[in-house]
Amino acid sequence: RLRLKRVLICLGILLLIGVLFFLILNQNITNIFVIGNNYLTEHEIIEYAHLDDYPKLIDCSNYKITKKLEKNKLIQKVKVYKRNFKNIYIEVEENRPLYYDSIEKKTILLNRTKINRTFQVPNLINYIPDTKLEKFQKKIEELDIEMLERISDIEYSPNEVDKNRLLLTLNDGNYVYITINKLPSMNNYINI
């Protein structure tokens, strides 16, 4: 009799824990927090993750959400975690746009992917030879986001003295001649 009572008590406790666990997992998500986004809106990220209808917690695994978001070309890395059984946090590291290639009519991203969407980034208005393009892309990725937003147009403008010369047109009306190698020094433009 004593052992039967203990077994029944243990089974009752396990059943209660199971029911509570099921009820917690069967609740809908109440809050979604998106962290680290600049180019994609929170709403776009929530839509890409298929969380826009705030589904049940049991239907949302961190792995599935991460895989859905990694398919977007503008997202480089994603970290998804849950807190308090009702909140989902999505930390994204974006694949930021570097410049708009007006010849190809595409935006070039940090990982050199080309997309059809436009952003507030410099407009490359002419052709840069392939031998110089890779170096140009490496140097422009060193520019701060704020500086990229200040540059309106980039023109490859070589002359007899310098075959790596660029002409930058800035939003404040200034023009800057600079070589490809010196492009990262534009981060000091405000101080200068």
Side-chain angles (χ1 to χ4, degrees):
R1 289 184 186 181
L2 217 72
R3 288 186 183 169
L4 184 61
K5 280 186 179 180
R6 286 183 185 171
V7 170
L8 289 175
I9 291 173
C10 286
L11 287 174
I13 291 173
L14 287 175
L15 182 65
L16 183 64
I17 291 172
V19 168
L20 286 174
F21 189 69
F22 177 77
L23 289 175
I24 289 171
L25 288 179
N26 210 23
Q27 289 183 345
N28 286 14
I29 296 167
T30 56
N31 296 309
I32 302 170
F33 300 96
V34 180
I35 303 161
N37 58 315
N38 289 317
Y39 298 103
L40 290 169
T41 64
E42 290 179 5
H43 184 67
E44 287 175 315
I45 292 172
I46 290 169
E47 277 185 351
Y48 287 128
H50 300 293
L51 298 173
D52 44 339
D53 60 348
Y54 290 82
K56 295 187 185 300
L57 195 62
I58 199 166
D59 298 332
C60 303
S61 76
N62 295 356
Y63 179 77
K64 286 181 184 177
I65 296 169
T66 301
K67 287 301 171 193
K68 287 175 188 174
L69 289 173
E70 285 177 343
K71 290 179 183 176
N72 188 313
K73 292 181 180 180
L74 275 170
I75 296 177
Q76 203 163 16
K77 291 181 186 175
V78 181
K79 181 180 178 186
V80 178
Y81 52 94
K82 297 172 186 159
R83 287 203 178 142
N84 302 334
F85 298 110
K86 290 184 177 185
N87 301 329
I88 290 185
Y89 290 80
I90 302 171
E91 288 183 21
V92 296
E93 184 179 317
E94 291 178 321
N95 188 13
R96 69 183 176 100
L98 295 176
Y99 64 94
Y100 180 78
D101 190 332
S102 60
I103 294 170
E104 291 189 36
K105 305 220 181 302
K106 295 193 182 279
T107 299
I108 311 304
L109 303 177
L110 187 62
N111 69 354
R112 310 305 184 262
T113 305
K114 299 174 183 179
I115 62 172
N116 290 324
R117 194 167 164 183
T118 57
F119 299 94
Q120 187 179 343
V121 291
N123 180 24
L124 179 62
I125 60 175
N126 62 350
Y127 175 75
I128 295 180
D130 291 339
T131 56
K132 309 221 182 273
L133 184 62
E134 187 176 337
K135 182 187 267 187
F136 166 73
Q137 290 174 335
K138 284 182 182 176
K139 293 300 180 180
I140 199 168
E141 74 182 43
E142 294 178 32
L143 288 177
D144 297 335
I145 293 171
E146 294 81 22
M147 191 62 228
L148 276 175
E149 291 173 350
R150 289 181 176 274
I151 300 171
S152 171
D153 294 320
I154 300 174
E155 180 182 349
Y156 178 62
S157 179
N159 62 11
E160 296 171 4
V161 177
D162 190 358
K163 301 294 181 199
N164 292 321
R165 190 171 79 155
L166 300 171
L167 171 63
L168 307 180
T169 305
L170 302 171
N171 292 333
D172 60 9
N174 290 327
Y175 297 92
V176 176
Y177 280 104
I178 194 165
T179 62
I180 292 174
N181 288 334
K182 298 284 185 179
L183 197 56
S185 66
M186 285 300 293
N187 287 328
N188 300 319
Y189 176 76
I190 302 295
N191 296 333
I192 294 171

